[in-house]
Amino acid sequence: IARPVGERLEAIRRTAIRNLTFGLGLLGVAAVVMVPLSRRLTQRLGEVTEAAGTLATGDLSVRVPEGSEDEVGRLARAFNRMAADLDAHQRRILEDERRRQQDDVARRLLDADHARKSRELEEARRFQLSLLPEVLPDHEAFEIAVAMRTATEVGGDYYDLHGHGRGPLTVIVGDATGHGAVAGTMVTV
């Protein structure tokens, strides 16, 4: 049995050409639509990548446009939250460090003031002790001994003795009310 196939092959060829043309048209339309869409997507991802690089250099004020509700938009929002949290954390660290340095300076000033006052009190104590007799008089009628201990660095106590041999012995004792530099000054006066 022989049949003519030329006509049918031509129909198949036309259908194949039409399908190929339609397919290529669809690919062309897809390329025209997909290329700008992919460019937009890669541009938005590029913005996030560039912002991450800026953030890595220490610029915590960098933010990216959040845009749409798609994955890239959610990524941008997450990035902006992270950058804001890092910025707030960095500010807290800097504030804590500034406060610690202020406390350290205040402590050093207090220590220096304490050391200065201690030196001044020690000088006042030495001065007060210098007013007391270095050598006690040698008297035939009395055996003389003295002791003094102040309640603080400087006190309001004073004594002096004059006399020798068999003559009169003069004993002076002073005690100003209170303790400290004021009482020591009163006795000195």
Side-chain angles (χ1 to χ4, degrees), residues 69-86:
E69 294 296 320
D70 61 1
E71 288 80 10
V72 178
R74 287 195 300 271
L75 176 64
R77 279 190 292 286
F79 177 86
N80 289 340
R81 273 193 314 272
M82 178 188 69
D85 290 347
L86 284 172

Side-chain angles (χ1 to χ4, degrees), residues 5 23 55 73 98 114 120 126 149 184:
V5 288
L55 185 70
R98 185 190 60 77
H114 177 72
E120 289 176 359
R126 275 190 260 129
R149 182 173 15 156

Side-chain angles (χ1 to χ4, degrees), residues 63-121:
R63 300 294 184 271
V64 293
E66 294 180 7
S68 64
E69 294 296 320
D70 61 1
E71 288 80 10
V72 178
R74 287 195 300 271
L75 176 64
R77 279 190 292 286
F79 177 86
N80 289 340
R81 273 193 314 272
M82 178 188 69
D85 290 347
L86 284 172
D87 190 35
H89 183 68
Q90 181 72 20
R91 288 178 195 275
R92 276 193 306 273
I93 289 172
L94 291 174
E95 180 61 28
D96 290 347
E97 179 63 20
R98 185 190 60 77
R99 195 174 307 119
R100 189 194 61 75
Q101 287 176 352
Q102 284 178 338
D103 291 348
D104 191 43
V105 167
R107 183 188 51 75
R108 284 192 213 160
L109 288 173
L110 188 61
D111 288 348
D113 189 49
H114 177 72
R116 178 189 57 79
K117 287 178 181 177
S118 293
R119 281 191 309 276
E120 289 176 359
L121 286 172

Side-chain angles (χ1 to χ4, degrees), residues 30-59:
V32 167
V33 170
M34 291 304 291
V35 167
L37 186 61
S38 71
R39 275 198 187 130
R40 183 170 168 257
L41 182 64
T42 56
Q43 177 185 5
R44 290 174 57 211
L45 287 173
E47 288 173 351
V48 174
T49 303
E50 185 178 325
T54 303
L55 185 70
T57 65
D59 181 4

Side-chain angles (χ1 to χ4, degrees), residues 148-174:
M148 181 177 90
R149 182 173 15 156
T150 59
T152 58
E153 290 85 354
V154 179
D157 301 331
Y158 174 78
Y159 65 87
D160 200 357
L161 300 119
H162 295 282
H164 66 281
R166 293 179 94 23
L169 176 66
T170 305
V171 177
I172 303 166
V173 176

